[in-house]
């Protein structure tokens, strides 16, 4: 967020509702989250100030009577030496959203699933008018379910004092990865280090998916997606130009062979 003119008071939650939440996990905050004022930090933005809000952190912007509330610690005075002509103007800010879906660890695995030539066999012959649902499509759904599965350390109720060991798990799949459209922007030494790191994360992510994939849970994930009220629930992280078949037959998925499912994943 960049403040262009005037002043604005921002309230930002200290901890996220869901750690590293994906775009389709956005939701309206609940009343107990809004009413717990101890959960929030407050900032006054003056012209030229910038504020970064990590994904998943509840936030609110207000134009308040700064003169009447000048005694508050959050309501700081703006320097008159910085953009004085903008300070008396209307309170305007500009927001930049940074998309992370296609540069996430989950997206990396979606690319890997799509590139595999061994997943084209049919898993479900017919599914509500759609014929030939492949194991590849089912694995895309399963990966999306595993990635969005929350752990106690993902939520605000667990707090931020938890040890990293307790938080290693599905949230790794929601982490961002560096993405460069031009390899020439990276030095050779840095490129080698970067690729080594990505390969390590890739293997960790495969292990997490292998352990976490569950036929019943993916069928319930599909059931929820089919009955959701908005398209946001149906957005996955794999590239839009690839396979976009959304399975809408959770009962047929639940009846698939667990042995066959595990064999495909392995």
């Amino acid at each position: 967020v960049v403040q262009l003119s005037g002043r604005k008071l921002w309230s930002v939650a200290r901890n996220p509702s869901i750690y590293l939440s994906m775009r389709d996990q956005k939701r309206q905050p609940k009343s107990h989250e809004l009413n717990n004022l101890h959960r929030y930090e407050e900032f006054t933005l003056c012209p030229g100030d910038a504020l970064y809000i990590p994904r998943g952190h509840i936030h609110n912007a207000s134009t308040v009577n700064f003169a009447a509330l000048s005694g508050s610690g959050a309501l700081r005075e703006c320097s008159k030496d910085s953009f004085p002509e903008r300070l008396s103007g209307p309170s305007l800010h500009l927001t930049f959203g940074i998309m992370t879906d296609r540069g996430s660890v989950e997206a990396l695995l979606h690319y890997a699933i799509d590139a595999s030539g061994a997943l084209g066999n049919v898993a479900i012959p017919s599914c509500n008018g759609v014929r030939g649902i492949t194991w590849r499509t089912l694995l895309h759904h399963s990966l999306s379910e595993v990635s969005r599965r929350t752990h106690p350390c993902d939520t605000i109720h667990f707090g931020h004092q938890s040890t990293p060991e307790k938080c290693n798990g599905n949230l790794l799949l929601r982490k961002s990865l560096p993405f460069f459209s031009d390899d020439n922007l990276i030095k050779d030494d840095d490129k080698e280090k970067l690729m080594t790191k990505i390969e390590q994360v890739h293997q960790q992510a495969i292990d997490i998916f292998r352990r976490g994939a569950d036929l019943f849970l993916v069928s319930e994930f599909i059931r929820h997606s089919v009955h959701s009220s908005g398209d946001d629930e149906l957005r996955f992280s794999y590239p839009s130009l690839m396979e976009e078949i959304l399975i809408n037959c959770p009962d047929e998925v639940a009846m698939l062979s667990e042995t066959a499912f595990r064999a495909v994943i392995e």
Side-chain angles (χ1 to χ4, degrees):
V1 179
V2 178
Q3 188 70 19
L4 302 179
S5 66
R7 284 188 290 182
K8 192 156 290 176
L9 178 66
W10 284 83
S11 300
V12 182
R14 295 186 177 94
N15 298 306
S17 299
I18 300 177
Y19 186 63
L20 296 181
S21 58
M22 303 300 287
R23 179 175 56 181
D24 51 82
Q25 291 178 304
K26 288 182 178 180
R27 60 172 175 78
Q28 291 293 327
K30 298 177 181 178
S31 58
H32 73 273
E33 296 173 317
L34 295 175
N35 295 331
N36 185 358
L37 300 180
H38 297 292
R39 289 189 50 236
Y40 296 89
E41 296 281 358
E42 292 190 326
F43 308 90
T44 299
L45 291 193
C46 301
D49 285 346
L51 174 66
Y52 169 69
I53 303 174
R55 50 184 161 134
H57 287 249
I58 299 173
H59 53 276
N60 181 67
S62 305
T63 52
V64 298
N65 187 338
F66 285 90
L69 300 176
S70 58
S72 171
L75 303 180
R76 67 181 176 89
E77 293 295 329
C78 297
S79 172
K80 298 187 180 301
D81 296 331
S82 177
F83 306 106
E85 70 283 0
R86 299 183 187 178
L87 187 56
S88 59
S91 181
L92 299 176
H93 71 269
L94 185 62
T95 302
F96 298 90
I98 303 174
M99 303 301 294
T100 58
D101 288 5
R102 296 191 182 183
S104 67
V105 176
E106 179 195 353
L108 179 65
L109 290 195
H110 279 301
Y111 275 107
I113 290 173
D114 205 77
S116 174
L119 299 175
N121 293 335
V122 173
I124 303 175
S126 180
C127 173
N128 289 339
V130 178
R131 295 188 177 276
I133 300 297
T134 66
W135 286 107
R136 176 181 292 110
T137 297
L138 183 60
L139 258 62
H140 277 309
H141 286 68
S142 181
L143 174 57
S144 295
E145 183 276 319
V146 172
S147 300
R148 285 151 181 76
R149 197 183 301 167
T150 57
H151 183 275
C153 73
D154 296 352
T155 67
I156 58 175
H157 306 292
F158 196 86
H160 64 281
Q161 300 298 329
S162 54
T163 61
E165 291 76 15
K166 292 183 179 179
C167 288
N168 286 334
N170 300 356
L171 63 86
L172 173 68
L173 301 176
R174 301 198 295 270
K175 286 189 174 182
S176 299
L177 283 175
F179 176 78
F180 297 94
S181 58
D182 187 354
D183 286 345
N184 294 325
L185 297 176
I186 315 173
K187 296 179 180 179
D188 290 339
D189 291 345
D190 293 337
K191 187 184 304 183
E192 184 176 349
K193 293 178 182 178
L194 177 61
M195 292 308 300
T196 299
K197 179 63 176 178
I198 290 178
E199 289 172 3
Q200 293 173 348
V201 171
H202 181 234
Q203 188 56 55
Q204 292 173 358
I206 290 175
D207 292 340
I208 291 170
F209 177 47
R210 184 184 291 121
R211 294 194 306 267
D214 183 283
L215 263 180
F216 173 75
L217 291 178
V218 72
S219 67
E220 290 304 301
F221 173 76
I222 292 168
R223 193 185 311 278
H224 170 74
S225 298
V226 169
H227 293 96
S228 64
S229 58
D231 292 339
D232 282 351
E233 295 285 350
L234 305 179
R235 291 179 182 167
F236 299 156
S237 289
Y238 62 91
S240 59
L241 295 179
M242 295 185 180
E243 188 173 6
E244 287 191 338
I245 297 174
L246 295 174
I247 300 176
N248 61 351
C249 44
D251 294 332
E252 286 84 346
V253 172
M255 289 188 295
L256 286 170
S257 165
E258 182 70 33
T259 302
F261 180 64
R262 300 310 310 179
V264 170
I265 291 176
E266 294 300 326

